[in-house]
Amino acid sequence: MNDILAQVATKIESNKNAGNAILYECVGTIMSIEDNGGLRVLAINILGRFLSNRDNNIRYVALNMLMKAITVDAQAVQRHRATILECVKDSDASIRKKALDLVYLLVNESNVKPLTKELIESLEASDQEFKGVLTAKICSLVEKFSPEKIWYIDQMLKVLSEAGNFVKDEVWHALIVVISNASDLHGYSVRALYRAFQTSTEQETLVRVAVWCIGEYGDMLVNNVGMLDIEEPITVTESDAVDALEVSIKRLNADLTTKAMALIALLKLSSRFPSCSERIKDIILQNKRSFVLELQQRSIEFNCILQKHQNIRSALVERMPVLDEATFSGRRAGSLPTSVSTSTGTARNLPNGIAKPAAAPVADLLDLSSDDAPAPSSSGGDFLQDLLGVDLSPASAP
């Protein structure tokens, strides 16, 4: 059988559809039987030739079969990586999507850097419809196979700069967690984000991460703390850092989350940049009459801190403690529960994860389930009777 399949695979001409149909069936047969490795490589090479065909249908079925072949002989499929990557840039949406799924399966620890570089280059040239799918795949690969934190930060910055509006919340949250844990890269991260912010202010998630880092590590940005050999020198004054936060608030397309984060960052810098304290106060006060209650409240409360509570301000605006990377990853993956089960078998969402026994319905209604809630009356009354001071026991018989 191997001899027959080898003969068919090598002698059939592929310049006509009938020949391609026979070759396709031949490849399918080779993949489904226990044959020798050489014949399998021959079959995958045929699929590689299919990828160079001008017919969209032939390219699509080749990609589809390579998805199955990768589980049998991943190394042989890897040889056609360059051709598969070209298909990611194809004008046909179905072929782009299928090729991207195949590339995703090809990535491992040894090839993640070159493949990610190729995909990011494809991201720059892709249309708006495909950017969302491609961005999600790149972020997933970078998180899964990142060899080092500095490479992870660099790749995520490229994605945020090019397609930040397509990045989901949990992705930029994860980036902040990684930066928080990389204490030796705080200065590098804030400088890299400041540079990216100067050229990509329309990418919302990039602006948010930049605002957070400037608020936390603005002093490192100004003083060039932790400068690495691979960095180019940069001069940023305290006023420049405040300018960046002011721009992030006043952008026409800035949303509520970004503005709120920028106000917090300004409050933090007011303690670290005494020379800009009055200017920061003015920027915060501009939101005092905002129609958005969240911004109005922050503006009034932060202004109160700046004017009346100078003695506790520095303690209030200390750097965030290092965020627990393992806990964040566990919650994101769904392995850590957000609720606990009570003794009655009902799950109750508790922010601090401490289980308390389920209280009576009336106690729930009146919020009397705290540890120091009064005990039920021994005379048969309930919480409501104790609270209102009335006797709710049945009336005695005449």
Side-chain angles (χ1 to χ4, degrees), residues 24 27-28 31 40-53 57-87 95 98-106:
Y24 175 79
V27 170
M31 288 303 181
R40 220 169 25 236
V41 170
L42 177 62
I44 291 172
N45 288 344
I46 291 171
L47 295 177
R49 289 206 307 273
F50 278 1
L51 292 180
S52 303
N53 199 295
N57 292 326
I58 292 175
R59 289 208 302 281
Y60 186 84
V61 296
L63 289 167
N64 212 31
M65 188 161 277
L66 283 169
M67 295 274 287
K68 300 172 184 175
I70 199 169
T71 59
V72 181
D73 194 340
Q75 196 58 45
V77 180
Q78 288 278 5
R79 296 192 191 101
H80 301 280
R81 208 167 63 198
T83 314
I84 296 167
L85 281 166
E86 283 301 311
C87 291
I95 290 174
K98 186 63 71 174
L100 181 59
D101 290 341
L102 183 54
V103 171
Y104 188 80
L105 295 176
L106 286 173

Side-chain angles (χ1 to χ4, degrees), residues 29-46:
T29 306
I30 291 171
M31 288 303 181
S32 62
I33 63 172
E34 294 182 11
D35 60 338
N36 58 52
L39 200 55
R40 220 169 25 236
V41 170
L42 177 62
I44 291 172
N45 288 344
I46 291 171

Side-chain angles (χ1 to χ4, degrees), residues 130-290:
F130 191 52
K131 259 184 167 56
V133 179
L134 186 50
T135 299
K137 292 287 187 187
I138 294 172
C139 292
S140 177
L141 290 174
V142 170
E143 288 183 33
K144 189 176 180 181
F145 296 107
S146 172
E148 55 203 2
K149 286 189 175 180
I150 189 170
W151 183 84
Y152 170 89
I153 293 168
D154 286 342
Q155 304 317 305
M156 292 305 299
L157 282 188
K158 289 176 185 176
V159 174
L160 291 177
S161 300
E162 185 59 41
N165 292 332
F166 295 93
V167 172
K168 294 182 179 179
D169 283 350
E170 61 264 24
V171 173
W172 67 268
H173 291 171
L175 176 58
I176 285 178
V177 172
V178 170
I179 292 173
S180 167
N181 278 269
S183 56
D184 56 329
L185 297 175
H186 287 169
Y188 172 80
S189 300
V190 71
R191 285 187 290 274
L193 280 158
Y194 180 82
R195 287 192 188 95
F197 175 80
Q198 300 302 312
T199 57
S200 303
T201 53
E202 74 283 357
Q203 303 296 341
E204 201 67 35
T205 54
L206 172 69
V207 174
R208 289 177 188 173
V209 178
V211 161
W212 188 89
C213 279
I214 292 172
E216 293 296 320
Y217 315 120
D219 50 333
M220 291 185 168
L221 172 66
V222 171
N223 298 318
N224 282 326
V225 176
M227 183 73 72
L228 303 181
D229 295 337
I230 58 174
E231 289 186 75
E232 294 180 9
I234 181 173
T235 303
V236 183
T237 64
E238 293 182 355
S239 182
D240 292 335
V242 176
D243 284 343
L245 296 177
E246 186 175 14
V247 167
S248 66
I249 291 177
K250 294 184 175 179
R251 289 177 313 129
L252 292 175
N253 59 341
D255 65 7
L256 171 60
T257 301
T258 307
K259 288 181 177 180
M261 290 177 71
L263 286 175
I264 293 175
L266 283 167
L267 179 65
K268 292 200 166 198
L269 292 189
S270 69
S271 177
R272 292 163 202 166
F273 298 167
S275 62
C276 298
S277 186
E278 286 302 314
R279 183 186 167 198
I280 288 171
K281 188 188 298 182
D282 292 340
I283 298 171
I284 290 175
L285 272 175
Q286 289 170 13
N287 289 276
K288 190 175 181 180
R289 292 180 177 83
S290 172

